[in-house]
Amino acid sequence: MKIRSPIVSVLGHVDHGKTTLLDYIRGSTIAAKEAGGITQHIGATEIPNDTIENICGDFISKLAIKDLIPGLFFIDTPGHAAFTSLRKRGGALADLAVLILDVNDGFKPQTYEALNILKMYRTPFIVVANKIDRLFGWEVHEGASFRETFSNQAKSVQQDLDNKIYEIVGELHKEGFQSERFDRVSNFASQISIIPISARTGEGVIEVLAMLLGLAQEYLTEQLEIDENAPAKGTVLEIKEETGLGVTLDAIIYDGVLRTNDEIALMLSSEDVLVTKIRSILRPLPLEEMRDSKKKFRKLDEVVAAAGIKVAAPHLDDVVSGSPLRVLSEDTDVEQEILNEIDNITIDTEDEGILVKADTIGSLEAVVKLLREMNIPIRAADIGDVNRRDIINSSIAYDENELHGAIIAFNVNVHPNSEEDLNNSEVKLFSGDVIYQIIEEYEEWVKQKQE
Ligand code: GDP
Ligand code: MG
């Protein structure tokens, strides 16, 4: 048995600072190289515990963080679309999430959406109130802990920040969450911590890392326990053509061990299962080596979870993003399990209702779950662009019941050849990349139809 690093995702409204925060965390840990630096995975960055301890100094010793958790495994692609795509059976791949807010801008549509997604998957999270350096009169202390920088601000600035934090507390309360500024939290199991930070100056980032490590240690160790000899389980991030390697897949392994020559099962866009044999397992070369080498990757014989890797294997072309990746085993019928999983997502629909299309298994699942909660009947739910067959079937549905002639399309396009069909039909398309906005537009349309 081994305890793996918790997988952490960053979510939040566009421009609130997701990328800047991840960049700062990577940059500051690279700077702390003497402590072991970071491990660059495919699609993720892992910060070892000792590096975090090194950055956090005494601060972490005050928290009595033991060496149980090996580190933090940050998914590099932020945002809720990535979060929902990165699924595993029964929930989200991420063990922990960071919901980022611009402290001067407050709650925005994608903030609510992220919150709902976290609620739906019951993912523990912290809130970071970002861009404190932009508060009027804020005095920057590069890289300082929040505690330190805060105590050095003028009273009026401290008051201003606290007022803004209380607005966030109020907003979270409306959404059903108890929260407090992190240093005033009395019960971490029932209250969400709000950490004021600047992703640009690094102020408060120390507390973010320490808090994530602390929460993982306190509440997640059981869920992070893995059998390092068990057949690997993972989730496919994306399918990519690489020069010299052909079609490869990028995946996050969250349990067990993956070895070269292992037979793995994956899900195809045709809803069949592909069984193929791993030719090679690849990781990015460390930055220093990448500079003087034409190669981008280094081959590994095996990896143990948590790991972000590229896999080269035959026949990967039609594997879907978000597909489970499972090493075949003698004890379980892995192929059947994958088939069951496909059934769960795609066939659990009503005879009548609207059509849902989305870009990945995870996003489809999220949209379907949200529509279900709102009692919106779903006739079919599929991955991929809106095609001619979708429009024909929706026209038929429209003839039976006008309200069923709708297509909800999340993060997908209308196939170019089908634009005209769509325009010539009564079918109503609701598309975009904010689920709530699409559903709101749909509801507005239903209301009008019913009047
Ligand atoms: P994302 O869309 O959530 O990934 O947001 P970005 O990380 O791209 O940030 C959006 C903009 O806000 C960029 O111009 C950043 O430089 C800026 N930004 C992000 N964090 C901070 C911060 O803490 N302070 C300030 N002043 N600007 C920030
Ligand atoms: Mg970004």
Side-chain angles (χ1 to χ4, degrees):
M1 283 292 172
K2 168 197 162 183
I3 294 187
R4 66 161 168 81
S5 297
I7 299 169
V8 186
S9 275
V10 179
L11 289 84
H13 192 71
V14 63
D15 283 347
H16 280 193
K18 300 179 291 293
T19 305
T20 309
L21 176 60
L22 285 165
D23 285 350
Y24 184 86
I25 290 173
R26 275 193 293 254
S28 64
T29 50
I30 289 169
K33 215 184 233 149
E34 64 278 14
I38 59 170
T39 311
Q40 193 57 58
H41 291 258
I42 297 269
T45 304
E46 192 171 18
I47 305 164
N49 191 335
D50 52 0
T51 302
I52 296 174
E53 279 178 19
N54 185 288
I55 301 169
C56 297
D58 337 325
F59 179 74
I60 210 148
S61 46
K62 280 186 210 133
L63 286 176
I65 288 178
K66 293 165 238 128
D67 281 340
L68 279 176
I69 308 279
L72 296 170
F73 189 95
F74 283 93
I75 301 287
D76 284 343
T77 321
H80 60 249
F83 183 89
T84 55
S85 305
L86 284 167
R87 60 184 289 286
K88 64 180 183 204
R89 179 147 213 184
L93 180 66
D95 303 293
L96 280 171
V98 175
L99 178 62
I100 192 167
L101 268 169
D102 180 337
V103 73
N104 303 292
D105 208 17
F107 275 65
K108 288 283 168 204
Q110 283 165 301
T111 318
Y112 290 109
E113 176 145 328
L115 208 49
N116 271 288
I117 288 167
L118 294 172
K119 216 187 277 183
M120 195 159 82
Y121 288 103
R122 297 174 201 278
T123 306
F125 63 97
I126 60 171
V127 170
V128 304
N130 188 32
K131 308 198 189 184
I132 54 173
D133 62 295
R134 290 183 55 193
L135 291 171
F136 185 75
W138 186 267
E139 214 177 283
V140 168
H141 301 80
E142 293 275 340
S145 68
F146 169 75
R147 284 232 178 168
E148 189 188 331
T149 188
F150 187 73
S151 64
N152 284 306
Q153 303 299 324
K155 275 270 160 325
S156 61
V157 178
Q158 293 182 340
Q159 195 57 55
D160 182 26
L161 175 59
D162 262 341
N163 291 342
K164 293 197 154 87
I165 297 293
Y166 278 113
E167 280 169 31
I168 297 174
V169 169
E171 216 42 56
L172 284 167
H173 184 76
K174 280 191 221 154
E175 297 296 311
F177 294 102
Q178 300 304 315
S179 66
E180 258 299 357
R181 202 174 85 187
F182 73 104
D183 48 342
R184 298 179 184 132
V185 167
S186 51
N187 181 349
F188 289 97
S190 62
Q191 289 169 294
I192 308 276
S193 296
I194 303 172
I195 308 182
I197 69 155
S198 165
R200 178 169 286 174
T201 68
E203 290 162 288
V205 174
I206 284 175
E207 280 104 330
V208 171
L209 298 175
M211 184 67 72
L212 291 169
L213 213 49
L215 288 176
Q217 177 181 289
E218 204 54 40
Y219 302 107
L220 299 177
T221 46
E222 235 167 84
Q223 149 181 355
L224 299 176
E225 220 167 69
I226 61 159
D227 177 353
E228 64 223 278
N229 300 310
K233 291 182 184 169
T235 299
V236 174
L237 292 171
E238 61 179 325
I239 309 299
K240 257 190 193 161
E241 175 102 40
E242 296 281 355
T243 32
L245 293 170
V247 179
T248 65
L249 65 78
D250 292 355
I252 305 282
I253 305 300
Y254 59 84
D255 195 5
V257 58
L258 187 71
R259 298 189 176 95
T260 308
N261 289 325
D262 271 350
E263 282 198 293
I264 53 172
L266 299 150
M267 183 167 162
L268 295 170
S269 52
S270 59
E271 297 181 8
D272 295 320
V273 175
L274 167 75
V275 173
T276 186
K277 194 171 178 178
I278 297 184
R279 209 185 287 139
S280 43
I281 301 173
L282 305 143
R283 264 248 179 102
L285 276 179
L287 280 177
E288 315 84 76
E289 287 173 46
M290 218 187 279
R291 271 185 228 114
D292 23 68
S293 164
K294 280 205 193 74
K295 281 193 293 189
K296 286 195 288 189
F297 307 109
R298 128 182 85 128
K299 278 191 190 175
L300 301 170
D301 296 330
E302 63 170 57
V303 288
V304 174
I309 41 112
K310 180 179 284 297
V311 167
H315 314 303
L316 295 178
D317 311 61
D318 295 323
V319 173
V320 284
S321 304
S323 158
L325 179 159
R326 300 278 303 271
V327 169
L328 296 195
S329 100
E330 279 167 9
D331 320 328
T332 39
D333 188 346
V334 169
E335 285 174 71
Q336 189 56 46
E337 280 184 15
I338 290 188
L339 280 173
N340 292 346
E341 195 163 339
I342 301 172
D343 281 356
N344 269 340
I345 300 161
T346 50
I347 297 180
D348 198 14
T349 46
E350 284 85 5
D351 295 338
E352 291 194 323
I354 63 168
L355 169 66
V356 183
K357 303 281 293 201
D359 58 338
T360 67
I361 302 171
S363 62
L364 185 67
E365 207 171 32
V367 178
V368 166
K369 265 193 191 177
L370 286 170
L371 291 170
R372 284 260 157 70
E373 273 171 23
M374 305 169 80
N375 291 319
I376 299 171
I378 301 165
R379 182 182 79 248
D382 271 317
I383 299 160
D385 286 342
V386 176
N387 58 37
R388 186 141 186 271
R389 194 185 48 160
D390 295 332
I391 294 163
I392 293 171
N393 288 339
S394 295
S395 294
I396 296 169
Y398 177 91
D399 291 339
E400 303 248 322
N401 179 342
E402 285 190 20
L403 292 178
H404 295 165
I407 301 176
I408 288 194
F410 177 66
N411 257 349
V412 292
N413 299 313
V414 175
H415 199 277
N417 299 335
S418 311
E419 298 259 5
E420 211 180 305
D421 295 319
L422 181 67
N423 295 336
N424 293 336
S425 73
E426 298 286 348
V427 174
K428 180 80 182 157
L429 178 76
F430 299 90
S431 65
D433 58 6
V434 180
I435 304 175
Y436 276 82
Q437 227 153 307
I438 307 176
I439 295 182
E440 237 172 68
E441 282 166 25
Y442 167 77
E443 285 187 310
E444 194 54 38
W445 175 77
V446 169
K447 225 194 267 163
Q448 279 171 13
K449 283 263 173 203
Q450 283 168 340
E451 272 162 14

